[in-house]
Amino acid sequence: MVARIMAGKILIVEDEVDLVFALEYAFRREGFRTIAAHSGVQALAIAEGDAGVDLVLLDLMLPDLQGTEVCRRLRASERTRHLPVLMMTARAESVDVEAGYAAGVDDYIIKPFRMQELVARVRAAVRRRGPVVRAAAAVHASV
């Protein structure tokens, strides 16, 4: 087996347990670390408290908060505003996609999706995040 370089840490926010297991398996095979939240409130607590999260994979339909509200709160927080957020949902109407982008998501993935495409999108978002986070850290260090 080929050793993989750790690719980052993904916060998976999804209330369907079987899908969480499948996502964790796929991302771990690709060298990512994962942590799961099954509600919006739990996701916000993890993202605010865990500096190691590199990306949030966010379901739209959660039991307590809509994914768009979770995204708005992530964007409003100094600690989490630079995290890439990829929303995944079965809602494919243009109004839903527009609402996701208006809330601040970086990408919108419609279920059902091909796992390899999702992994590729996540990998690209984490790769793009690197320079932004380093620049933000430099600004905070100089203040």
Side-chain angles (χ1 to χ4, degrees):
M1 187 167 148
V2 176
R4 295 185 183 268
I5 297 171
M6 286 301 201
K9 186 173 188 179
I10 302 169
L11 172 54
I12 299 170
V13 187
E14 171 62 62
D15 59 324
E16 294 180 33
V17 175
D18 290 341
L19 182 53
V20 170
F21 288 141
L23 290 166
E24 287 182 323
Y25 178 77
F27 285 114
R28 288 178 180 165
R29 280 184 50 118
E30 294 295 322
F32 288 94
R33 293 169 291 140
T34 63
I35 186 168
H38 301 287
S39 71
V41 171
Q42 185 182 20
L44 291 167
I46 291 169
E48 285 286 339
D50 187 347
V53 172
D54 296 300
L55 179 136
V56 179
L57 186 58
L58 178 62
D59 187 23
L60 175 63
M61 307 292 286
L62 296 168
D64 56 351
L65 297 171
Q66 288 286 318
T68 50
E69 179 59 25
V70 173
C71 187
R72 282 187 198 95
R73 292 183 189 187
L74 289 169
R75 294 295 183 233
S77 169
E78 184 68 31
R79 186 174 182 105
T80 59
R81 73 176 37 153
H82 300 295
L83 284 175
V85 178
L86 279 68
M87 183 166 285
M88 54 184 177
T89 181
R91 299 184 67 168
E93 297 293 321
S94 62
V95 67
D96 297 314
V97 175
E98 291 167 16
Y101 284 115
V105 301
D106 296 288
D107 201 354
Y108 195 96
I109 301 152
I110 298 169
K111 296 176 187 175
F113 47 78
R114 289 181 27 251
M115 194 63 76
Q116 285 307 98
E117 179 182 350
L118 177 61
V119 169
R121 288 182 183 211
V122 166
R123 188 175 300 285
V126 169
R127 184 177 55 244
R128 286 189 305 266
R129 177 183 184 261
V132 172
V133 172
R134 284 190 294 274
V139 168
H140 289 296
S142 67
V143 175

